[in-house]
Amino acid sequence: MRFATWNVNSLRARRDLVALWLNEHQPDVLCLQETKVKDADFPEELFEENGYHVAHWGVSSWNGVAIAARQPLDNLILGVVDDSEEARCIAADIDGIRVFSVYVPNGRALGDPHYSYKLEWLEALRARLSDEIQRRPLLVAGDFNIAPTDDDVYDRAALEGATHVSEPERLALQRLLDLGLVDCGASAEDTDSNFTWWDYRQGAFRRGMGMRIDLVLASRSLSGEMCSFQVDRLTRAAPKPSDHAPVIVEF
DNA sequence: ATGCCTGTACATTACAGA
Protein backbone atom coordinates (compact mmCIF):
# COMPACT_ATOMS: atom_id res chain seq x y z
CA MET A 1 0.00 0.00 0.00
CA ARG A 2 1.27 3.42 -0.95
CA PHE A 3 0.28 5.91 1.77
CA ALA A 4 0.83 9.66 1.63
CA THR A 5 0.18 12.83 3.60
CA TRP A 6 0.41 16.42 2.41
CA ASN A 7 -0.38 19.81 3.90
CA VAL A 8 -1.41 21.58 0.68
CA ASN A 9 -1.89 25.09 2.14
CA SER A 10 -5.18 25.73 0.30
CA LEU A 11 -6.70 23.18 -2.03
CA ARG A 12 -8.09 25.99 -4.17
CA ALA A 13 -4.63 27.43 -4.71
CA ARG A 14 -3.12 23.95 -5.16
CA ARG A 15 -5.82 22.28 -7.24
CA ASP A 16 -3.80 21.77 -10.43
CA LEU A 17 -0.71 20.67 -8.54
CA VAL A 18 -2.71 18.13 -6.52
CA ALA A 19 -4.23 16.70 -9.72
CA LEU A 20 -0.80 16.37 -11.32
CA TRP A 21 0.61 14.83 -8.16
CA LEU A 22 -2.15 12.22 -7.83
CA ASN A 23 -1.56 11.07 -11.39
CA GLU A 24 2.19 10.91 -10.99
CA HIS A 25 2.36 9.20 -7.61
CA GLN A 26 -0.83 7.12 -7.56
CA PRO A 27 -1.15 6.77 -3.78
CA ASP A 28 -3.65 4.28 -2.40
CA VAL A 29 -4.38 6.67 0.46
CA LEU A 30 -3.71 10.41 0.66
CA CYS A 31 -4.27 12.45 3.81
CA LEU A 32 -4.63 16.19 3.22
CA GLN A 33 -4.39 19.11 5.63
CA GLU A 34 -5.07 22.83 5.34
CA THR A 35 -7.54 22.43 2.51
CA LYS A 36 -8.91 25.86 3.52
CA VAL A 37 -12.36 25.16 2.08
CA LYS A 38 -15.80 24.66 3.54
CA ASP A 39 -17.37 21.28 2.82
CA ALA A 40 -19.79 22.97 0.40
CA ASP A 41 -16.84 24.23 -1.67
CA PHE A 42 -14.77 21.05 -1.52
CA PRO A 43 -13.85 19.81 -5.04
CA GLU A 44 -14.92 16.18 -4.70
CA GLU A 45 -14.74 15.75 -8.48
CA LEU A 46 -11.01 16.41 -8.42
CA PHE A 47 -10.61 13.12 -6.56
CA GLU A 48 -13.51 11.13 -7.97
CA GLU A 49 -12.45 11.80 -11.58
CA ASN A 50 -9.09 10.31 -10.69
CA GLY A 51 -10.54 7.16 -9.17
CA TYR A 52 -10.63 8.06 -5.48
CA HIS A 53 -13.21 7.99 -2.76
CA VAL A 54 -12.87 11.09 -0.61
CA ALA A 55 -14.06 12.43 2.73
CA HIS A 56 -13.50 16.00 3.86
CA TRP A 57 -14.19 18.17 6.88
CA GLY A 58 -14.04 21.94 6.55
CA VAL A 59 -16.15 24.54 8.34
CA SER A 60 -14.50 27.76 7.15
CA SER A 61 -11.73 28.97 4.89
CA TRP A 62 -9.18 27.94 7.49
CA ASN A 63 -7.85 24.53 8.50
CA GLY A 64 -9.73 21.67 6.80
CA VAL A 65 -8.71 18.00 6.54
CA ALA A 66 -9.47 15.22 4.07
CA ILE A 67 -8.71 11.62 3.20
CA ALA A 68 -8.76 10.28 -0.37
CA ALA A 69 -8.47 6.55 -0.98
CA ARG A 70 -8.81 3.93 -3.70
CA GLN A 71 -10.93 1.84 -1.33
CA PRO A 72 -14.16 3.10 0.29
CA LEU A 73 -14.01 5.08 3.53
CA ASP A 74 -16.16 3.79 6.38
CA ASN A 75 -16.99 4.83 9.95
CA LEU A 76 -16.03 8.48 9.52
CA ILE A 77 -15.19 10.55 12.58
CA LEU A 78 -14.84 14.34 12.44
CA GLY A 79 -12.78 15.95 15.19
CA VAL A 80 -11.38 14.74 18.47
CA VAL A 81 -12.99 17.07 21.02
CA ASP A 82 -16.53 18.07 20.07
CA ASP A 83 -18.57 19.45 17.20
CA SER A 84 -17.60 23.04 17.92
CA GLU A 85 -13.90 22.65 17.26
CA GLU A 86 -11.94 23.72 14.23
CA ALA A 87 -11.69 21.20 11.39
CA ARG A 88 -8.40 19.56 12.28
CA CYS A 89 -9.04 15.82 12.35
CA ILE A 90 -10.85 13.31 10.19
CA ALA A 91 -10.71 9.54 10.55
CA ALA A 92 -11.95 6.63 8.46
CA ASP A 93 -11.63 2.88 8.14
CA ILE A 94 -9.91 1.97 4.88
CA ASP A 95 -9.37 -1.66 3.98
CA GLY A 96 -9.14 -2.74 7.63
CA ILE A 97 -6.90 0.13 8.75
CA ARG A 98 -7.99 3.10 10.85
CA VAL A 99 -6.60 6.23 9.17
CA PHE A 100 -6.39 9.66 10.85
CA SER A 101 -5.57 12.86 8.95
CA VAL A 102 -4.62 15.52 11.50
CA TYR A 103 -3.71 19.20 11.44
CA VAL A 104 -2.33 19.96 14.89
CA PRO A 105 -2.74 23.61 15.99
CA ASN A 106 0.30 25.80 15.35
CA GLY A 107 0.65 27.23 18.85
CA ARG A 108 1.81 30.64 17.59
CA ALA A 109 4.09 31.40 20.58
CA LEU A 110 5.01 29.94 23.95
CA GLY A 111 2.51 31.32 26.44
CA ASP A 112 -0.04 32.26 23.78
CA PRO A 113 -3.55 30.90 24.42
CA HIS A 114 -3.18 29.06 21.13
CA TYR A 115 -0.18 27.21 22.58
CA SER A 116 -2.31 25.90 25.46
CA TYR A 117 -4.96 24.99 22.93
CA LYS A 118 -2.33 23.02 20.97
CA LEU A 119 -1.36 20.98 24.04
CA GLU A 120 -4.99 20.37 25.01
CA TRP A 121 -5.82 19.33 21.46
CA LEU A 122 -2.94 16.84 21.46
CA GLU A 123 -4.15 15.38 24.74
CA ALA A 124 -7.65 14.99 23.29
CA LEU A 125 -6.14 13.24 20.28
CA ARG A 126 -4.20 10.93 22.61
CA ALA A 127 -7.37 10.02 24.47
CA ARG A 128 -9.07 9.18 21.18
CA LEU A 129 -6.15 7.13 19.87
CA SER A 130 -5.73 5.20 23.13
CA ASP A 131 -9.20 3.83 22.52
CA GLU A 132 -8.83 3.30 18.78
CA ILE A 133 -5.48 1.51 18.88
CA GLN A 134 -6.98 -1.40 20.79
CA ARG A 135 -9.38 -2.18 17.95
CA ARG A 136 -7.41 -2.14 14.68
CA PRO A 137 -4.14 -1.12 13.02
CA LEU A 138 -3.71 2.67 13.06
CA LEU A 139 -2.10 5.19 10.73
CA VAL A 140 -2.07 8.73 12.12
CA ALA A 141 -0.67 11.15 9.57
CA GLY A 142 -0.51 14.86 9.05
CA ASP A 143 0.98 18.17 10.03
CA PHE A 144 1.88 17.80 13.71
CA ASN A 145 3.55 21.20 13.98
CA ILE A 146 6.17 19.56 16.22
CA ALA A 147 9.75 18.72 15.30
CA PRO A 148 10.33 15.52 17.30
CA THR A 149 14.05 16.06 17.98
CA ASP A 150 16.73 18.71 17.52
CA ASP A 151 17.93 16.76 14.48
CA ASP A 152 14.61 17.52 12.85
CA VAL A 153 15.30 21.25 12.52
CA TYR A 154 17.90 23.15 10.50
CA ASP A 155 19.24 25.18 13.41
CA ARG A 156 18.13 24.45 16.95
CA ALA A 157 19.80 27.55 18.35
CA ALA A 158 17.86 29.79 15.97
CA LEU A 159 14.62 28.31 17.30
CA GLU A 160 15.32 28.87 20.99
CA GLY A 161 12.09 29.96 22.66
CA ALA A 162 9.99 29.10 19.61
CA THR A 163 7.11 26.71 19.24
CA HIS A 164 7.51 23.33 17.49
CA VAL A 165 10.62 22.43 19.51
CA SER A 166 9.53 23.03 23.11
CA GLU A 167 9.60 20.23 25.69
CA PRO A 168 5.83 20.26 26.39
CA GLU A 169 5.09 19.82 22.69
CA ARG A 170 7.63 17.02 22.35
CA LEU A 171 6.29 15.32 25.48
CA ALA A 172 2.76 15.51 24.06
CA LEU A 173 4.03 13.80 20.89
CA GLN A 174 5.92 11.21 22.95
CA ARG A 175 2.69 10.40 24.79
CA LEU A 176 1.14 9.57 21.42
CA LEU A 177 4.08 7.31 20.53
CA ASP A 178 3.85 5.65 23.96
CA LEU A 179 0.44 4.31 22.95
CA GLY A 180 2.30 1.96 20.61
CA LEU A 181 2.84 4.12 17.54
CA VAL A 182 6.05 4.38 15.52
CA ASP A 183 7.25 7.60 13.83
CA CYS A 184 7.94 6.21 10.36
CA GLY A 185 10.32 9.05 9.36
CA ALA A 186 12.47 8.97 12.47
CA SER A 187 15.16 6.55 11.36
CA ALA A 188 16.69 8.24 8.31
CA GLU A 189 20.48 8.41 8.25
CA ASP A 190 20.47 11.90 6.76
CA THR A 191 17.90 13.74 8.84
CA ASP A 192 18.00 16.86 6.64
CA SER A 193 16.55 14.76 3.83
CA ASN A 194 13.45 14.19 5.95
CA PHE A 195 12.54 17.84 6.41
CA THR A 196 8.96 18.34 5.27
CA TRP A 197 8.42 22.09 5.64
CA TRP A 198 10.40 25.12 4.54
CA ASP A 199 9.34 28.74 5.03
CA TYR A 200 8.34 30.57 1.87
CA ARG A 201 10.59 33.46 2.91
CA GLN A 202 14.30 34.07 2.61
CA GLY A 203 14.82 31.28 0.09
CA ALA A 204 14.56 28.83 2.99
CA PHE A 205 13.98 25.81 0.76
CA ARG A 206 16.97 26.52 -1.46
CA ARG A 207 19.12 27.03 1.65
CA GLY A 208 17.96 23.84 3.36
CA MET A 209 16.37 25.72 6.25
CA GLY A 210 13.53 23.31 7.01
CA MET A 211 11.91 21.18 9.67
CA ARG A 212 10.45 17.69 9.90
CA ILE A 213 6.94 18.35 11.21
CA ASP A 214 4.75 16.26 8.90
CA LEU A 215 4.68 12.79 10.39
CA VAL A 216 3.26 9.35 9.72
CA LEU A 217 2.66 7.38 12.93
CA ALA A 218 1.94 3.69 12.49
CA SER A 219 0.90 0.91 14.84
CA ARG A 220 3.84 -1.37 15.56
CA SER A 221 2.41 -4.19 13.47
CA LEU A 222 2.11 -1.89 10.47
CA SER A 223 5.46 -0.18 10.99
CA GLY A 224 7.09 -3.58 10.71
CA GLU A 225 5.72 -3.81 7.19
CA MET A 226 7.12 -0.45 6.06
CA CYS A 227 9.25 -0.88 2.94
CA SER A 228 10.00 2.71 1.94
CA PHE A 229 9.83 6.25 3.30
CA GLN A 230 10.22 9.31 1.13
CA VAL A 231 9.77 13.07 1.35
CA ASP A 232 8.81 14.36 -2.09
CA ARG A 233 11.00 17.46 -2.17
CA LEU A 234 10.55 17.83 -5.94
CA THR A 235 6.97 18.90 -5.31
CA ARG A 236 8.17 21.55 -2.83
CA ALA A 237 10.37 22.84 -5.68
CA ALA A 238 7.47 23.01 -8.18
CA PRO A 239 5.99 26.33 -9.29
CA LYS A 240 3.42 27.69 -6.83
CA PRO A 241 4.17 25.03 -4.19
CA SER A 242 2.72 24.47 -0.76
CA ASP A 243 5.28 25.26 1.92
CA HIS A 244 5.01 21.57 2.93
CA ALA A 245 6.26 18.60 0.88
CA PRO A 246 4.24 15.39 0.52
CA VAL A 247 5.43 12.42 2.59
CA ILE A 248 5.09 8.97 1.00
CA VAL A 249 5.33 5.70 2.96
CA GLU A 250 4.95 2.25 1.42
CA PHE A 251 3.79 -0.75 3.44
C1' DA B 1 13.87 43.77 16.30
C1' DT B 2 11.37 43.25 12.02
C1' DG B 3 10.12 41.44 7.65
C1' DC B 4 11.18 38.29 4.24
C1' DC B 5 6.41 34.85 1.33
C1' DT B 6 1.80 33.08 0.55
C1' DG B 7 -3.11 32.66 1.22
C1' DT B 8 -7.19 34.11 3.54
C1' DA B 9 -11.33 37.43 4.46
C1' DC B 10 -14.87 41.60 8.01
C1' DA B 11 -10.02 42.68 1.35
C1' DT B 12 -6.21 47.53 -0.97
C1' DT B 13 -4.72 46.17 5.05
C1' DA B 14 -4.56 42.76 8.80
C1' DC B 15 -3.99 38.18 10.18
C1' DA B 16 -2.12 33.57 10.35
C1' DG B 17 1.04 30.37 9.17
C1' DA B 18 5.69 27.73 11.31
Side-chain angles (χ1 to χ4, degrees), chain A residues 77-95:
Chain A
I77 287 181
L78 310 180
V80 293
V81 183
D82 58 49
D83 294 341
S84 65
E85 71 180 287
E86 298 168 323
R88 294 180 177 277
C89 175
I90 186 170
D93 287 337
I94 302 168
D95 203 15

Side-chain angles (χ1 to χ4, degrees), chain A residues 119 122 146 167-177:
Chain A
L119 296 177
L122 284 162
I146 300 169
E167 276 311 301
E169 290 165 280
R170 286 177 170 171
L171 280 171
L173 175 61
Q174 185 59 49
R175 279 170 60 76
L176 299 183
L177 300 176

Side-chain angles (χ1 to χ4, degrees), chain A residues 8-15 18 34-35 42-43 46-47:
Chain A
V8 292
N9 186 18
S10 172
L11 192 49
R12 282 174 286 181
R14 224 64 63 205
R15 184 185 174 114
V18 169
E34 281 210 87
T35 58
F42 184 80
L46 168 65
F47 298 91

Side-chain angles (χ1 to χ4, degrees), chain A residues 148-225:
Chain A
T149 73
D150 287 352
D151 287 336
D152 295 312
V153 299
Y154 66 98
D155 182 351
R156 179 63 181 84
L159 294 167
E160 190 56 41
T163 57
H164 295 62
V165 297
S166 74
E167 276 311 301
E169 290 165 280
R170 286 177 170 171
L171 280 171
L173 175 61
Q174 185 59 49
R175 279 170 60 76
L176 299 183
L177 300 176
D178 288 346
L179 294 171
L181 294 166
V182 175
D183 175 2
C184 292
S187 58
E189 294 175 17
D190 175 8
T191 51
D192 284 11
S193 72
N194 275 358
F195 289 170
T196 65
W197 171 87
W198 299 260
D199 201 303
Y200 282 124
R201 298 168 290 186
Q202 289 186 301
F205 179 65
R206 176 176 48 78
R207 296 160 67 189
M209 300 168 65
M211 293 196 249
R212 186 172 76 89
I213 56 175
D214 296 270
L215 310 178
V216 176
L217 311 185
S219 301
R220 286 194 207 290
S221 59
L222 274 173
S223 70
E225 297 176 36

